[in-house]
Amino acid sequence: CRLGHAFMGEYYQRHVPSEDVACPCGKHLQTRDHILLDCERYDEHRHHFAAMRQDLNGTHVLLSTRKGISALAKFIQSSGAFTKTGEPPPLDR
C-alpha cells in the first residue's frame, strides 16, 4: 500500500491492464486515496484513523509516520483492503 503496489485499480492501470480498474463501490478508478479516505466499503474500519483525524491531510500522515503506519496496518488487517478480494479475513472459529 505505501509503495503503491497492491491489489487496486490504480496499480492495475499501470501494471496489469487486463484487470478491472474500477472500485466495486462504483468509482471509475480505484485509487489508494479512495480506499483509505472515501470508499464506503471501508467506512466501518476507518475508526483506526480516528486519533489522527486532525492531522489527516490526504494520506501523507498515514503513509509516512509511525503512528500513521500503525493505524494503516490495523485498518488493512481488519478491512481486507488492498487484498485480492478486498474483504476482511475470515473470523477464526
Side-chain angles (χ1 to χ4, degrees):
C1 169
R2 289 183 66 211
L3 299 174
H5 289 262
F7 295 106
M8 63 182 167
E10 188 174 32
Y11 176 85
Y12 294 147
Q13 187 177 45
R14 291 187 186 125
H15 302 287
V16 190
S18 60
E19 289 284 340
D20 186 13
V21 300
C23 184
C25 77
K27 175 127 174 132
H28 174 69
L29 177 62
Q30 182 188 47
T31 65
R32 178 176 61 194
D33 285 358
H34 170 69
I35 292 169
L36 293 174
L37 303 174
D38 303 321
C39 185
E40 63 193 31
R41 296 178 70 210
Y42 302 111
D43 283 346
E44 69 183 88
H45 302 283
R46 288 199 187 88
H47 64 88
H48 296 293
F49 307 147
M52 309 173 57
R53 193 62 64 189
Q54 293 178 8
D55 300 329
L56 207 54
N57 182 10
T59 55
H60 175 75
V61 172
L62 286 176
L63 302 172
S64 64
T65 66
R66 286 181 191 260
K67 188 175 179 181
I69 293 166
S70 177
L72 177 62
K74 291 173 185 172
F75 169 80
I76 291 171
Q77 174 132 18
S78 72
S79 69
F82 305 105
T83 64
K84 184 66 174 172
T85 65
E87 298 292 328
L91 297 174
D92 291 338
R93 293 186 185 224

